[in-house]
Amino acid sequence: MPTKVSGTALSVQSATGDQVLGTDAASKALTSALASFGKKPADLQLAQAYDPTSTLDVTILGFRVPGLAVSQLEPAVLQTWLFAGATGVTTKQTTVSGVAVTEVSYKGDTSVSYVVVRKDAVLVVQSASAALAAAAVAALPC
């Protein structure tokens, strides 16, 4: 996870799925997807980077499951966590800061999510600012 975006220091926190997944629809759907891969919430490694002062409108979420191919994890994150395919949600393949991403936008919401695959992790950059999102994508480790 990056520790800076646009010169602003980010706080980074990490946890496992059993520590943070709850009873909301997205958590239940992600837990179900994990089970379909023979994995448990405790297998899911999560990380979040954000500006603790809220000066920057950008959040980065990381999803990783050791032993699970990113080709399985990415669609699971898109469908369960980001609700891609739901009414009013649009997705498209695009490039941000020279990086191939899946852009997820929600009707009536200015915040956009950019999904990036890095090695064995799925990273989600969320921001209402395209410029900040581009800076965050550029700051992601390779």
Side-chain angles (χ1 to χ4, degrees):
M1 297 298 278
T3 56
K4 275 189 178 184
V5 169
S6 295
T8 299
L10 302 179
S11 289
V12 178
Q13 298 175 331
S14 61
T16 55
D18 59 323
Q19 296 171 314
V20 298
L21 294 177
T23 58
D24 60 283
S27 292
K28 287 181 177 181
L30 188 52
T31 297
S32 178
L34 290 168
S36 75
F37 302 131
K39 300 292 183 178
K40 298 178 179 167
D43 297 321
L44 175 64
Q45 298 172 347
L46 301 160
Q48 178 182 26
Y50 62 96
D51 174 9
T53 68
S54 298
T55 302
L56 293 184
D57 172 29
V58 66
T59 300
I60 304 162
L61 301 171
F63 298 80
R64 180 177 177 272
V65 179
L68 183 65
V70 75
S71 60
Q72 293 176 292
L73 182 58
E74 181 186 24
V77 169
L78 282 164
Q79 294 300 317
T80 65
W81 197 256
L82 298 173
F83 297 106
T87 302
V89 180
T90 58
T91 62
K92 69 177 182 177
Q93 301 301 310
T94 190
T95 302
V96 175
S97 295
V99 176
V101 303
T102 301
E103 179 182 304
V104 183
S105 56
Y106 306 89
K107 184 177 182 178
D109 192 351
T110 58
S111 186
V112 176
S113 296
Y114 301 90
V115 180
V116 180
V117 172
R118 295 284 192 189
K119 297 182 182 176
D120 62 348
V122 175
L123 302 167
V124 181
V125 175
Q126 297 173 316
S127 182
S129 165
L132 276 177
V137 169
L140 294 174
C142 293

